[in-house]
Amino acid sequence: EVAVTATMELVARLKRDREFRDVKVTPLLILAKAMCLAVRRNPGTNATWDEAAQEIVLKRYVNLGIAAATPRGLVVPNVKGADALSLPDLARALHELSATAREGRTQPTDMVGGTITITNVGVFGVDGGTPIINPGEAAILCVGRVIARPWVVDGAVVPRQVMELSLSFDHRCVDGALGSRVLASVAGFMTDPAVALALG
């Protein structure tokens, strides 16, 4: 569980910013940026297992998959080079990706080459889950809904916006320590998104 009140405040500010006026700004945008930064800090999660060679292959780029429920079923298009995009460019890429998926226009090339994925079960009013890793990837992050909950801050109970995060990972590539570091890194960025934006 992560207190994301600061992220929700940031989302509200970005919605009023002219740089983001043509795109839908949601907590998923900040989460996508946080995921890219967490991968940069922990590159072992941005990998695949080569069965033939019996070795881990690290990817030097992040093609960030976003699982999307469509009338035709679940698709997982990915944003190519997501780690190299500015926040406004990432917002535009996510907007285009989701609009194309909803309209059933996702091209096969948009669904291959993913390196790590986010699935948002929160859109269904769900708090969390245990997603299955996409073939050719080593990890998938599951994000639940944002909901107001009581939170203890400096000994006092205060209301906070809270979400649940969980990470499924392939133990051939990622052990529990690395998986936990990635999850903690994403959680830290979502708690204090100013750090994520400062880092890039």
Side-chain angles (χ1 to χ4, degrees), residues 77-138:
N78 61 78
V79 177
K80 310 292 192 223
D83 56 320
L85 298 178
S86 67
L87 196 65
D89 286 340
L90 183 58
R92 282 186 276 276
L94 291 172
H95 177 76
E96 176 64 25
L97 178 146
S98 61
T100 301
R102 280 194 310 272
E103 295 164 8
R105 297 186 295 107
T106 301
Q107 298 299 309
T109 54
D110 294 331
M111 293 189 287
V112 298
T115 62
I116 199 162
T117 293
I118 295 172
T119 183
N120 181 5
V121 300
V123 296
F124 302 107
V126 177
D127 289 323
T130 308
I132 296 174
I133 305 160
N134 290 317
E137 299 179 17

Side-chain angles (χ1 to χ4, degrees), residues 11 25 34 38 62 64-65 85 96 104 109 120 127-128 131 138 164 175 180 197:
V11 166
V25 179
V62 179
L64 183 64
L85 298 178
E96 176 64 25
T109 54
N120 181 5
D127 289 323
E164 288 186 20
D175 63 18
S180 296
L197 297 180

Side-chain angles (χ1 to χ4, degrees), residues 29-107:
L29 170 62
I30 309 305
L31 187 72
K33 189 65 167 179
M35 189 65 168
C36 289
L37 291 169
V39 165
R40 184 187 300 167
R41 286 183 168 184
N42 304 277
T45 52
N46 195 49
T48 190
W49 174 252
D50 185 331
E51 184 65 30
Q54 291 288 293
E55 66 181 14
I56 298 167
V57 179
L58 296 180
K59 305 297 177 72
R60 303 297 178 193
Y61 51 87
V62 179
N63 290 346
L64 183 64
I66 304 293
T70 74
R72 294 180 175 89
L74 184 71
V75 296
V76 189
N78 61 78
V79 177
K80 310 292 192 223
D83 56 320
L85 298 178
S86 67
L87 196 65
D89 286 340
L90 183 58
R92 282 186 276 276
L94 291 172
H95 177 76
E96 176 64 25
L97 178 146
S98 61
T100 301
R102 280 194 310 272
E103 295 164 8
R105 297 186 295 107
T106 301
Q107 298 299 309

